[in-house]
Amino acid sequence: SLDRIDFAFSGNSKSATVTLALDTIVDLATLEDGVYEFKFSTEKDGWMSHSFPEQTLHVVRNAPAALVMPASIEPGDSVSMLLSRPPAQCCSAWDWVGIYRQGFSQRL
């Protein structure tokens, strides 16, 4: 397909779980801004394409981006956030991140 950026073989015929580093598949610095999805295919079911709509990669070069892990927690659980700041907004030791109820529009 012309929309496929690249692919990699799992290299593993023993384990059901495989970890693939995306930077070994594609030069991440060359991806254009946008949303990318992942698909899986195996000869075991006739090379059917399996989509993962909940697993996407958002490439944003000129705006801050954040990833919260995990996205759902129980009381007492830990959570972390990875903040990526674009060159125009990077980097000040006084940068801050707030947590708000969804839809709250005021800064403070």
Side-chain angles (χ1 to χ4, degrees), residues 29-44:
T30 65
L31 289 179
E32 297 177 5
D33 285 10
V35 180
Y36 296 84
E37 65 182 0
F38 301 90
K39 297 181 185 242
F40 165 72
S41 187
T42 177
E43 68 178 330
K44 300 290 185 176

Side-chain angles (χ1 to χ4, degrees), residues 23-100:
D23 60 353
T24 64
I25 300 171
V26 63
D27 180 359
L28 298 174
T30 65
L31 289 179
E32 297 177 5
D33 285 10
V35 180
Y36 296 84
E37 65 182 0
F38 301 90
K39 297 181 185 242
F40 165 72
S41 187
T42 177
E43 68 178 330
K44 300 290 185 176
D45 65 6
W47 298 109
M48 289 179 54
S49 181
H50 303 275
S51 296
F52 306 104
E54 69 285 354
Q55 299 298 318
T56 57
L57 174 66
H58 295 254
V59 175
V60 182
R61 302 245 183 262
N62 296 313
L67 174 63
V68 177
M69 302 165 288
S72 298
I73 61 169
E74 297 285 330
D77 287 352
S78 294
V79 66
S80 63
M81 185 179 103
L82 173 65
L83 173 65
S84 296
R85 301 172 286 182
Q89 296 169 329
C90 188
C91 296
S92 168
W94 297 103
D95 292 349
W96 60 273
V97 174
I99 183 168
Y100 301 87

